[in-house]
Amino acid sequence: MSDKFDVIVIGAGPAGYVAAIRAAQLGLKTACVDAFVGKDGKQALGGTCLNVGCIPSKALLDSSKQYFNLTHNLPAHGISVENAKVDMATFIGRKDKIVKQFTGGIGQLFKANKVTPFFGKGKLLKGNNVEITGNDGSKQTISATNVILASGSVPIELPFAKFDGKNIIDNAGALDINEVPKRLGVIGAGVIGLELGSVWNRLGAQVTILEALPDFLAVADQDVAKVAKKEFEKQGLTIKLGAKLTKAEVKKNEVALTYEDKDGAHELTVDKLLVAVGRRAYTEGLLADDTGVKLDERGRIVVDEHNHTGVDGVWAIGDAVRGPMLAHKGSEEGVAVAEWIAGKAGHINLDTVPWVIYTEPEIAWAGKTEKELKEAGVPYKIGTFPFAAIGRAVAMNEAIGQVKVIAHAETDRLLGVHMVGPGVSELIAEAVVAMEFKGSAEDLARIVHAHPTLSEAVHEAALSVDKRAIHKGN
């Protein structure tokens, strides 16, 4: 054995690198193993999120939003610009610089906290040993008292629409298109499909989204989803529900699609096809056969409420375990596990993890949907308030969407808060704090919110729960 650590983390995504830093802060000798390779061929910490997910997609979303505002929204403010255009090299280059800045930043944080990074693919062996295979095939083995598995997830590939990196692409490929496609097909109307579809739609691509499910954004509250779908279609996105892709063939730099819906079979030709039907836990080559760590029917690592695998000293966090595949959920699990290892009181509440979709309008929620509560037989009451009645939203020319607050009908405790509109990715934090502290709709209703702000929509929606909103009829 070349070295002995207190903690070895396999994976340096938002779950893994955060776990490593927190463990080191707590005085534990920590190593972090990761094999992600950046565009420059060097180790790039940060996993999918920082390299080809959360951060680069938000960079492109912001850049495309600036262009869309310039060409569509600014005239309403009396501002006009002629012959606006996008330089794609700069457009993509800006995204790459931001990625490089943040992945490099994690390296600096590792140095500052004395976390030892290893470049290669980590494999858990029996006895909490970890075998590291470098990109050149070289191997070394290190050991630790505790091993945290944070191997993340990968895109699900359809057997009849395999990724080729050129015509049929995944989320990473959609971040590096060097020319705006005339026609972009998207399979899946989830977070990735909607966000990346929005990027290229704003730049002028004709985007068609095929969603196999009959409901739009079934995971979200349907009142919010209905508003969002209407706005996306206004922006030019074509969204076909109950549309199941059955065939995809690349022909002369085009992709010929066949899909079926309630009306039968249809054909569609696009220049590029983004397949975004979800992600699956990535555990290939992660576990030796005799480790004792178990996987569930979906290939996820089985853990208890403390993210422990049942094998002494082996833990698992992030996309590779149960719960929503969200970066912030993984990060908080990483902190919690590091604190449990150090004998402290770690904490993670999966019931208050916020969800955000960074489209325009943004979509955000925390807690239960109305449908979930109805199916569970939980008595509830609802309050809503539209951004159309919020002065700040109107002044911004973004008076779209609403806030919906759901409270227990008997105790008034907040059960879910759902939003679609401007800046709701930030507004949802207020709801999460209130829910984490077992707050009620009355608590939100009695808190003073600054005027004029977008947050007043939360205040009024909470007042609306008991039919006492001020700026709308009850």
Side-chain angles (χ1 to χ4, degrees), residues 78-94:
I79 303 169
S80 60
V81 176
E82 295 182 1
N83 301 319
K85 62 180 182 178
V86 176
D87 179 81
M88 290 306 297
T90 304
F91 183 82
I92 298 297
R94 173 181 178 272

Side-chain angles (χ1 to χ4, degrees), residues 434-457:
M435 292 172 69
E436 189 66 30
F437 280 90
K438 311 295 189 291
S440 64
E442 181 74 5
D443 289 324
L444 283 181
R446 288 191 176 274
I447 294 171
V448 179
H449 290 68
H451 173 78
T453 63
L454 298 174
S455 69
E456 289 178 283

